[in-house]
Amino acid sequence: VQLQASGGGLVQAGGSLGLSCTAAGSTFGLNVMGWYRQAPGKQREMVAIITSDGTIRYEDVAKGRFTISRDNGKNTVYLQMNNLSPEDTAVYYCNAVVVTTVRRVYWGQGTQVTVSS
């Protein structure tokens, strides 16, 4: 499975950005898709995930500001980020979990989100 993310960029504090990530290749069994982020000097952290049946989980950093959604027909996951702050500056990584007879985890290449104050 290859994950292609897009939509990062530079935005001022209080602004909005949308990310998208499409899975291609052997997507049979594609289950969870989501977004993680890694700020400079920090560990990668989960932002939000969504299962194939639409169950969603947000980490505290995303609650009330970010919205994750998914188009199963397009194998695409979206992250709408509103009211961004400089603390949201990070590389955002798309993640996908494929479950068949085994469980495999895939990562996208990362997309930079920079929020200026």
Side-chain angles (χ1 to χ4, degrees):
V1 173
Q2 299 82 43
L3 298 176
Q4 183 64 48
S6 62
L10 173 65
V11 66
Q12 288 189 330
S16 299
L17 274 178
L19 306 179
S20 64
C21 174
T22 299
S26 300
T27 58
F28 176 78
L30 183 59
N31 187 351
V32 182
M33 297 188 77
W35 294 94
Y36 290 67
R37 70 185 188 184
Q38 188 167 17
K42 295 186 177 181
Q43 289 189 333
R44 190 173 299 187
E45 63 178 353
M46 193 187 85
V47 176
I49 58 174
I50 182 169
T51 66
S52 56
D53 65 0
T55 301
I56 291 173
R57 174 184 166 187
Y58 292 106
E59 281 302 304
D60 288 345
V61 294
K63 290 179 180 177
R65 299 187 302 131
F66 296 180
T67 302
I68 191 169
S69 61
R70 178 171 175 169
D71 185 332
N72 288 331
K74 296 180 179 179
N75 293 323
T76 299
V77 63
Y78 306 93
L79 185 69
Q80 178 62 38
M81 303 183 291
N82 297 326
N83 193 22
L84 286 161
S85 72
E87 289 70 34
D88 295 313
T89 295
V91 177
Y92 283 69
Y93 294 92
C94 176
N95 169 277
V97 179
V98 174
V99 180
T100 55
T101 55
V102 296
R103 179 180 182 272
R104 291 191 171 92
V105 179
Y106 299 90
W107 294 94
Q109 81 281 11
T111 184
Q112 177 70 46
V113 171
T114 303
V115 185
S116 63
S117 57

